[in-house]
Amino acid sequence: MHMDTHSADYRYGDLLAMTNHFRNEARNIILTGATGFLGSNFLFWKLRQPGKVYVLVRGESIAHARQRVYDALAVCAVGYNQPVPKADIDSKVDYILGDMTETLCAISKSDLEKLAAAGISEFWHCAASLKFEDRHKEEIYHHNINGTHNVMDLAHRIHCPTYLHISTAYTSGHMAGDIPETLHPLDISYNNFYESSKNAAEHEVVKYCDAQGIDYRILRPAIIMGPLASRRSGGTRFGVYGLTQEMYRLRDTLSQLKTPMRLIGDMAAVGNLVPVDQCVFDMLYLSNTGFGEHKVYHLSNSSDLNIKAMLEKIDVALGMKSLNFVSERDTPASAIEELFDKRTVFYGGYYRTIKRFARSLPAQTGVSWSDYGTYLTAFIKELDEEKSGETFTRTQVTAADGIELCVSTFGDSGKPALVLANAYGMPSDFMFPLAKRLADQFRVITWDSRWVPAITHEFDLAKCHSLTHASDLIAILDHFGIASAPVAGWSSGAQVSLRAMAEFPDRIQCGILLNGGVSIPASGDIKITEFEKNIRTLFPKIAANYRFAQKYCDLIYGAHATADDGEDRKMISAILTSTDPFLLYMTSVPFRTPEALFRYANMMNGLFNERGDAWTADVKQPVLVHVGGKDQVTHADVGRFLVEGLQNGKLSLDEDGDHFSHFYDEDVATMIKQFVAQHQPQAQVAQPSSLANP
């Protein structure tokens, strides 16, 4: 794998690079909490390395336990724009029925014998009760303290040499200032019983492991966010998400306040937000490098965003001005303030003290205000979708060469199908607004292109051409039993659509090309945008040498440029800034790690090196070519040339349209419906397709 030093790993937190770099490090481990947020994310990436993972999980049966774990991993997969690793789950996961609140976790004698003989080297205890109210004290104690004793007894019984205990950075309670990576006193004051139980459990870990000669590490995550890779929540409802959800639920009440609600906190308090993929990176890094000399590690980063500003941004994102952050209330709390205090008491520990968590591990990239805003926007959208029931349905489809594709559908399966061919490297979220507008007439189907954003697929340069993606489209039609369907391709997805129409004419009824980014070169008759000039200049360099991908990622994310880098920095900056700033969290996906950029550059370079007519001479179906007069990514001239090359092409020009009109403009959906209505035949029975040559 392309990775030179561990510090380079930490520069981008690239879990694919990490797991590939240590792919020969085979260890058998036990994991608790595999159905929880951090535990499932750890398992998702741990499965990319060799070795068995024995998951201790509650369940009525093995089948029930297996389904619980699979469901948790499916949620993880959505958070990373990845397929569920079915083959790895089947071959590497062994399910141990048990309950950590019982002696030796109540596992069977046969399972005890199996674990003792399995050569397990690490016991990862991620499970815990996240409840915090005093009325749940008994349950919290049973899980976080008794449960810790029970799993350590199990580790000792099966002769596991290393015990890894997941705690929380907030075992520090009301402590302020610099928080060291050491045990905290037990007699400090706390915000809730959860914090005190986790601190007590840490002391029990040290006492027990020292007495039994077990090597141990205590890992303390800060405020865990969803994956930085996607800025989605990843399914968690704790931390910032829990507070945002409470405000979302109370939105109607809060919006009626005559004066802002006073929330008591320290004006200078900061929150240390750590994405879950950074936590997992830390965990795997420690496992693969021998855990280091320290016994306690903070899984934190350098974000430290001001809590007052964080809360205000939640307020604004929900369309309100309901909060006033104060150091104290000058009059008694109102009824609504008392209600809000009770509903959000768990989060008081975040905004009532100033903490700076020491970190001995290499530095992680901090969460920026821009990242935070994107997280909030994505989460509120997620809550809206849950409330309305409107969201993509995810399915996995096996391509002709065995690759698992992440496919998203929206709409009634009884309606005619319409396929959206997304741009290379872009997440399916880009297609969701258009899919919603089309769903009154179609069952809309789209998919994430292999390699990027689905980076867990092994990259195959020999298949880096549009026929691979066109064949994936046909495999998707076959999976759903669809004889033929219209296709609408956006940006580089237009080339995929043209290739599918050319190679599989019986399967594609008609095509709509939206702001097509295709293989037609610039000429005296065809202008191209500065954006396209830049990627045609830079991407061949990046595609030819992985080190260039590292270099350009460094230029994007703040490394100091040399005198020779000036033009390159300008070009890479122009590529990113040519996109809609609101959509940058999606358009930047292929630029987030050197591996993603290397793949994306090869995909786009392969596209530009295909036939100069973009396969139009072989397309007989009716095709509508839509271009925007204000498109800064693909020039309208490219669309005009496409129409000239097509046997049955028609041009649609929106003088005010840009490259992202399909995301915002309802008229684009109307145009697609009208064109398809003119050219859609009756449904037929699907016939298997033979693959053409590249």
Side-chain angles (χ1 to χ4, degrees), residues 270-273 301-306 355-357 367 369:
V270 294
N272 191 263
L273 308 183
N301 64 27
S302 59
S303 58
D304 286 343
L305 303 182
N306 179 265
K355 301 177 188 292
R356 294 178 296 275
F357 298 110
V367 173
W369 281 116

Side-chain angles (χ1 to χ4, degrees), residues 498 513 518 520 613-614 616 625 638-646:
L498 287 165
L513 310 183
V518 295
I520 295 172
D613 71 336
T616 53
V625 180
V638 174
R640 296 187 182 99
F641 189 85
L642 282 171
V643 172
E644 291 176 9
L646 289 162

Side-chain angles (χ1 to χ4, degrees), residues 7 25 99 113 159 170 198 273 421 431 479 491 511 521 612 655-656 667 686:
S7 61
E25 300 291 329
D99 183 343
E113 292 171 350
H159 312 295
Y170 289 87
K198 295 296 282 185
L273 308 183
M431 294 291 106
H479 175 86
S491 198
E655 292 286 1
D656 294 321
D667 290 342

Side-chain angles (χ1 to χ4, degrees), residues 13-180:
D14 188 342
L15 280 162
L16 179 71
M18 163 72 80
T19 52
N20 279 349
H21 187 72
F22 293 106
R23 68 194 323 164
N24 296 322
E25 300 291 329
R27 294 183 191 84
N28 295 340
I29 71 167
I30 295 183
L31 173 67
T32 71
T35 59
F37 183 53
L38 181 56
S40 60
N41 276 265
F42 175 71
L43 176 59
F44 184 86
W45 288 100
K46 176 64 179 173
L47 287 174
R48 289 192 54 80
Q49 294 185 282
K52 277 278 189 183
V53 181
Y54 295 86
V55 293
L56 179 64
V57 60
R58 288 181 292 107
E60 298 168 2
S61 63
I62 291 294
H64 181 225
R66 181 185 294 113
Q67 189 62 51
R68 291 186 66 217
V69 172
Y70 183 89
D71 290 346
L73 291 173
V75 173
C76 291
V78 173
Y80 294 106
N81 295 314
Q82 308 296 336
V84 178
K86 292 180 180 178
D88 285 334
I89 294 172
D90 292 342
S91 63
K92 296 178 183 177
V93 178
D94 202 323
Y95 304 89
I96 306 295
L97 293 181
D99 183 343
M100 71 177 191
T101 64
E102 303 291 336
T103 302
L104 285 178
C105 302
I107 67 175
S108 68
K109 181 181 178 183
S110 60
D111 279 341
L112 262 179
E113 292 171 350
K114 176 168 64 175
L115 292 175
I120 291 168
S121 58
E122 298 170 5
F123 196 124
W124 288 85
H125 181 38
C126 295
S129 170
L130 295 176
K131 293 181 179 179
F132 58 89
E133 300 98 327
D134 283 350
R135 61 193 174 94
H136 293 302
K137 270 188 176 182
E138 186 174 344
E139 179 184 340
I140 296 169
Y141 187 90
H142 274 307
H143 280 82
N144 294 352
I145 299 176
N146 285 350
T148 296
H149 264 291
N150 292 331
V151 296
M152 289 191 296
D153 280 341
L154 178 58
H156 179 57
R157 178 71 171 268
I158 63 172
H159 312 295
C160 180
T162 308
Y163 173 76
L164 294 315
H165 184 82
I166 303 300
S167 185
T168 171
Y170 289 87
T171 53
S172 49
H174 287 166
M175 292 172 62
D178 294 327
I179 308 299

Side-chain angles (χ1 to χ4, degrees), residues 401 450-451 458-468 602 694:
D401 60 358
R450 59 169 73 199
W451 303 319
E458 293 296 329
F459 187 55
D460 188 343
L461 185 58
K463 294 181 179 178
C464 208
H465 48 71
S466 60
L467 181 58
T468 297
N602 273 286

